[in-house]
Structure formats: structure tokens, C-alpha cells
Amino acid sequence: MSSPPSTTELAGQYGYVVIGCGGIGSGTLYWLAKTAEKGKRILGLEQFPLGHSNGGSQDHSRIIRRMYPDAAFAKLAGGAMNAWHEVERDSQHSLVEHCGGVYVMSKGNPVLADVLAVAKEQNLKYDFISGSELHRRYPQFATNDSVEAFIDYEAGYVSAAQANAVHIALARQRGATVVDNCKVVKIDKNAAKNYEISTSLGVVTAEKIIVTSGVWSNQLLANFGVNVPIIVRQEQVHYYATPFIQDFLPAKFPVWIWVHGDEMYYGMPQHGIMAVKTGWSMGGAKVTADTRSFQPDAYHIAKNDAFVKRFLPRAYGPKALVKTCLYTVTPDRHFVVDTLASSGHPNVAVCIGAGHAYKFASVLGKILAEITTTGTTNMDVSTFSITRRALTDPSFGDRSKNLGTRSANEHHSTATSKL
């Protein structure tokens, strides 16, 4: 097993350097260590301690699902399931719980038709039911026929913090070096056309670089003359210490996403803490990595409380935990998965998760490993190009909060969520 350097100096030549070791970065390290050509050294650099809570990859659980209103995400979700199960087989650790999922919207919402069309196209296992039937199957939901719902039988959650640690452990097991508390200061191209990466612990040389740094992406991409239009939001999750603990076990309660007017809420069963997790997606204030606060917002808490009291009354209870995280969001809420070939740096790849990528963390790592080692991938990531209109045309605007709407210019629904 490879270990971090025993001194404060970091040096050497690496075939691949991954910058940012959260969900997607740790996944990239795992897949690189598993598939890269023999003899190519692999290095992961993380500016904070591994498992930190400064970005968006922490917490006990994250929703994983198959059903989307957009075929690009539905197809990728199948690959995500397969990737997580391969990691489970490799590690002999259980990371995914398929407790089922519920996707709720007001009756007649046009996005329901999009979800249904994609589900049929992808041959997914689902039911389309009324709000009263949802209440019959899951009495925890206080619903009536003003809403309709899909049940996604393959949905569930990933044990996020554990999965990150498993990715890192398996990467180290296969010879990768992972160094935390190591900030990248500058990246230059040397005479041999490799990259010299100056860090707080020394200088390393890389043949290829993969940037998976979330909110800090543009700080690193600036070294290559690239800037991606991203919006950073400080979000938060709420854990309610319900007294009705039997009702919210994974065997009895699904993960869920609920589009309520122009707002989106989500939640999941008890996992990792004796409480029910819920959140109001995209309700947080715009911040930067430097201006964000770790202090929960009172208005956000009040909004979430009101929703839970109305629609999940038995889940409500004292706050066991309220914690913040950051969404790094593109104008169309689509990922960035590409190389910087269009900017003259084909040996640099980047992935930005747009605030809803954790469920895809391992498969995105696999894709990044493939495009950096072989130059191609079997997964269709054309939708996530860094040169698409949403990222290059200022007139596109910020559509990241659109729910249940279709974009005539982009030909896809923007009703995607972090979840």
C-alpha cells in the first residue's frame, strides 16, 4: 500500500494527478488505480483533510435513482448503479441501499410526462400512482390526489462518507498516493510539455491532470486560461429526531423528491444517525468559497420545517443536526465532463458536478479515468461538454433554479436536482 510522504516535501513525476479528493475525485483515483497502464504513478491531492465538510461530498447518505425527465441522466444513472456495485464487490463493503424512491409533483405537471417517457424508453421498473395511493403505500406521506407520484424501485441511497473512504482505500491498495492538507498553488507547463504543479508541500510533475475540485474549480482552471460560469450556493440539510423511529427505517420508507410549486424538497430514511434527513434544494444563498458560512440559515430552517410538518408530520421532531454544504452549479444544472482540448490542454480533464452529482461519483470517476487513459469513453457525455452553449453564451442566463420547465434552445428538461 502506498502512503503519503513521511516528510513535508512532495516531489516526483506522476502519470496522473487528481486535484480534489471528494466524491468524484476519490472515484477517479479508484478507477485510475484499477485501469491505468502499468508503471504510471497516480497521485491525489486534497487541500483539506480527507473527509472534510467544506465542500459538497460529505454526509451520511445521498440519493441514488434511475428516473429522470432527461434521458442523458437516466442512461448515466444505469452506469452509476453498476459502478457502485463494482466498488462494493471490490471492497466487500455495502455502500448502496435500494430502499426505493418516490418522485412527487402536482397533478398534471408536464415534467411527469417527460419522466414517464424516459422510464419507458429505458425499460425501468416503476409505478405511476395517485397521491392517495402514495399515502396508502407509505402512510408517512400526508398526500391526496392533488399530487401524483412515480415509484422508482431501483432508487435508494449511497453511504457517501463511507464510499469516499472506500474509494481512497482501494486506490491506495493498488498503489496510488493520496496526500491531504496539500493545496495547489500554481500549475505551469514545462519544456517537456508536462505540467509542474506547485503545492504547499512541494512541486510535482504530471503528464495528465484531472480537476475535480468543486467550488474551487475555477481557481485551478485559471492556470489553463479557462473559466466556467458557475454559481455557488450554501445549502443545508436537516435531521429530525422523530419519535416514530420504526416508520422511517429503510425497509419501510423510501428516498423521495418532491417538486412543490417552484420549490424542490427531498429526503431519505434513517441512516448513519437516528434521525430523518430532509432538505430544500436550491434554497440557499449565493456565496463563494471564502464568503460561505457554516452557520445554518434560520429562514431555510423555517421553510423546511413548514414542509415537513405539512407533508411528513410523523417525521418531524427535535433537530438532531442541521449542517451546511455547497452546491457548485452550472447555468443549466448539467455537469461538466470534458478535457480542456478546446483551450489547448488535451491532457487536462475536468468534472464539475452541478450540485447533484454524488450519485454519479463513481461512474464519473470511471469516465474521467477512461478519457484520460484512452482518450475516449463508452458513456455518452456529449451533453456535458465544456463548450456547450450554456457555458459559452452569456445570453443563456441562469436557468439553474428552473423546475418542471423545458428549454427550447437546449432540448432538455432543466428539472434536475442535486439528489
Side-chain angles (χ1 to χ4, degrees):
M1 182 191 302
S2 179
S3 301
S6 58
T7 69
T8 57
E9 284 300 311
L10 182 66
Q13 169 85 31
Y14 292 86
Y16 304 95
V17 175
V18 178
I19 307 176
C21 299
I24 298 169
S26 66
T28 304
L29 285 166
Y30 163 75
W31 288 101
L32 278 173
K34 187 169 182 172
T35 62
E37 56 268 46
K38 191 174 181 180
K40 294 290 186 181
R41 298 173 69 204
I42 298 164
L43 173 66
L45 298 175
E46 172 55 57
Q47 64 176 321
F48 301 110
L50 290 172
H52 68 85
S53 58
N54 297 302
S57 291
Q58 74 279 11
D59 212 7
H60 301 290
S61 57
R62 293 296 180 87
I63 288 176
I64 187 167
R65 58 185 167 115
R66 290 297 311 275
M67 300 190 74
Y68 278 88
D70 188 313
F73 286 100
K75 291 175 183 176
L76 191 62
M81 296 283 190
N82 293 336
W84 285 122
H85 291 319
E86 186 162 344
V87 177
E88 288 182 313
R89 288 191 294 271
D90 269 7
S91 67
Q92 299 179 37
H93 281 69
S94 178
L95 301 174
V96 180
E97 177 69 38
H98 293 284
C99 58
V102 173
Y103 196 85
V104 186
M105 286 187 180
S106 58
K107 191 172 184 177
N109 189 310
V111 172
L112 288 167
D114 294 343
V115 176
L116 181 60
V118 172
K120 289 180 176 178
E121 175 191 302
Q122 298 295 311
N123 197 29
L124 303 182
K125 291 178 61 179
Y126 72 92
D127 272 338
F128 180 44
I129 60 174
S130 66
S132 58
E133 176 63 12
L134 174 62
H135 176 69
R136 189 190 71 79
R137 296 190 190 190
Y138 296 107
Q140 300 93 330
F141 292 107
T143 51
N144 56 36
D145 287 344
S146 65
V147 300
E148 295 175 306
F150 283 98
I151 295 181
D152 177 351
Y153 289 105
E154 295 180 69
Y157 59 82
V158 182
S159 298
Q162 183 183 1
N164 295 344
V166 165
H167 275 150
I168 294 294
L170 293 178
R172 283 174 164 162
Q173 185 183 106
R174 290 184 168 91
T177 299
V178 184
V179 183
D180 61 359
N181 294 302
C182 182
K183 184 174 182 177
V184 172
V185 178
K186 186 174 66 168
I187 303 173
D188 295 303
K189 212 166 188 180
N190 63 21
K193 296 186 179 180
N194 290 325
Y195 293 98
E196 288 190 355
I197 305 173
S198 299
T199 78
S200 56
L201 296 180
V203 180
V204 296
T205 303
E207 295 175 31
K208 296 185 178 182
I209 295 173
I210 303 96
V211 177
T212 52
S213 300
V215 63
W216 298 274
S217 296
N218 277 333
Q219 296 175 19
L220 293 161
L221 295 177
N223 290 281
F224 313 105
V226 173
N227 183 83
V228 177
I230 56 176
I231 302 122
V232 180
R233 290 186 178 275
Q234 180 171 308
E235 301 291 308
Q236 62 194 50
V237 293
H238 311 76
Y239 283 90
Y240 296 96
T242 173
F244 303 104
I245 56 175
Q246 301 93 334
D247 293 350
F248 295 94
L249 294 166
K252 295 182 178 181
F253 188 65
V255 301
W256 55 271
I257 298 167
W258 193 317
V259 177
H260 179 59
D262 61 355
E263 298 170 347
M264 182 179 286
Y265 295 84
Y266 64 93
M268 54 199 79
Q270 297 163 0
H271 176 69
I273 181 173
M274 190 56 66
V276 179
K277 177 181 176 179
T278 72
W280 170 28
S281 182
M282 293 292 288
K286 293 181 181 180
V287 296
T288 69
D290 296 325
T291 63
R292 67 85 51 90
S293 163
F294 289 88
Q295 183 66 34
D297 177 73
Y299 177 71
H300 201 136
I301 292 173
K303 290 280 291 185
N304 203 80
D305 282 355
F307 182 89
V308 172
K309 287 178 181 178
R310 180 178 176 185
F311 295 112
L312 283 162
R314 290 175 71 83
Y316 189 77
K319 303 290 191 307
L321 176 66
V322 181
K323 62 187 297 187
T324 65
C325 65
L326 297 179
Y327 282 16
T328 306
V329 180
T330 56
D332 58 358
R333 285 306 300 276
H334 276 26
F335 307 150
V336 177
V337 185
D338 209 344
T339 71
L340 302 187
S342 60
S343 300
H345 295 277
N347 289 333
V348 179
V350 60
C351 183
I352 299 173
H356 60 109
Y358 192 86
K359 66 183 73 62
F360 300 103
S362 197
V363 74
L364 288 173
K366 182 178 183 180
I367 290 167
L368 290 166
E370 288 172 347
I371 63 176
T372 51
T373 57
T374 70
T376 188
T377 174
N378 291 328
M379 300 294 293
D380 181 6
V381 292
S382 57
T383 301
F384 312 129
S385 166
I386 200 169
T387 60
R388 67 182 185 268
R389 181 183 164 228
L391 305 184
T392 58
D393 182 356
S395 70
F396 184 89
D398 177 10
R399 306 181 191 181
S400 61
K401 292 194 73 172
N402 291 1
L403 296 178
T405 61
R406 299 186 184 91
S407 167
N409 292 326
E410 296 299 303
H411 304 292
H412 61 71
S413 168
T414 55
T416 54
S417 74
K418 167 205 176 191
L419 317 167

